[in-house]
Amino acid sequence: MDLPVVSDIFTKSFEVRWDDTDFNGHLRNTRYLEYAGTARMHHLMSMGWDVRMLRKVGFAPILLGDEISYRREVYLAERVDVSCEIVGLSSDRARWRMRHVVSREDGTAAAVAHCLCAWLDVETRRIAPPPAGLQEAMEAARAEDCVVIGSQYASSDSASGPVRASSEA
C-alpha cells in the first residue's frame, strides 16, 4: 500500500475535571478510553466527516476492541492531549487500527491506547468498505508505521499488536 503519509498528527485537548477522577485523585481508567473516542470523532469531523455527513452516506464508525497501557498518572485540572493515528488499515479500508497517545502537559505519555475499528454500512448492518471520500480521509490519517491488517479480523484479537495481511486478505 504505497500511500502518502501526513506529517501532522491530529490531537484533541482535554482538561481533567472533578468527575474524571477516581478515589485516588487521578484520572480514572475508563476516562482514557472515553477521551480517545471523543478524539476519534473530532478527528473525523476535522476531515469533513461529521455525524450528518456519515448519515448521508449511510456509514457509521464502530469499535471492535480496545487495548490500553497506562504509563503515568494524570491529576485533576491537568490538561492532556490525545493524538489520533491510523497504524493499521485493511486493504479494503473497512477496518482500521488507531493509536491514541494520551500526553501530559509536559509531553510525557500517560497512556497509549490501540483501538480496532470498522465501518458499518447502516443499511445492511454489516462491516463494509466506506465510500471513496472517506477512504481517502482514512489514508490521509495514516501513521508512518501503518501496516496492512487482514480484513478477516473482526474482533479485538488483532488489536494486540501489528497484524500484517496474510495472503488471504
Side-chain angles (χ1 to χ4, degrees):
M1 190 166 32
D2 294 329
L3 302 170
V5 176
V6 174
S7 59
D8 294 335
I9 298 172
F10 179 85
T11 60
K12 170 89 175 124
S13 296
F14 298 88
E15 183 177 337
V16 178
R17 302 172 318 193
W18 174 254
D19 62 334
D20 294 338
T21 60
D22 63 14
F23 183 76
N24 294 316
H26 54 69
L27 186 61
R28 57 188 161 95
N29 63 336
T30 56
R31 190 60 83 190
Y32 287 91
L33 293 173
E34 291 167 4
Y35 285 176
T38 299
R40 256 191 322 277
M41 288 309 300
H42 279 265
H43 188 203
L44 284 170
M45 292 186 304
S46 76
M47 295 185 293
W49 291 94
D50 64 9
V51 174
R52 287 183 199 101
M53 182 62 108
L54 290 170
R55 282 186 184 146
K56 182 178 177 180
V57 297
F59 276 80
I62 59 172
L63 181 66
L64 300 175
D66 290 315
E67 179 184 282
I68 189 164
S69 62
Y70 304 99
R71 299 189 176 170
R72 301 280 185 276
E73 293 177 304
V74 175
Y75 297 98
L76 176 66
E78 281 191 68
R79 184 185 58 82
V80 295
D81 291 326
V82 180
S83 65
C84 300
E85 292 182 282
I86 294 177
V87 294
L89 192 57
S90 64
S91 58
D92 65 358
R93 312 304 187 263
R95 290 174 179 78
W96 75 96
R97 186 167 179 251
M98 187 163 271
R99 175 177 54 223
H100 298 284
V101 178
V102 180
S103 301
R104 298 178 61 185
E105 291 179 40
D106 65 4
T108 60
V112 178
H114 287 95
C115 304
L116 183 62
C117 305
W119 289 110
L120 180 75
D121 180 320
V122 296
E123 185 177 322
T124 65
R125 307 304 294 172
R126 300 272 186 233
I127 293 174
L134 192 47
Q135 287 189 30
E136 292 167 6
M138 300 298 292
E139 292 164 5
R142 292 177 339 111
E144 289 183 25
D145 58 346
C146 185
V147 297
V148 176
I149 60 174
S151 60
Q152 72 270 24
Y153 298 104
S155 72
S156 62
D157 293 343
S158 65
S160 60
V163 178
R164 305 223 183 254
S166 70
S167 59
E168 300 149 5

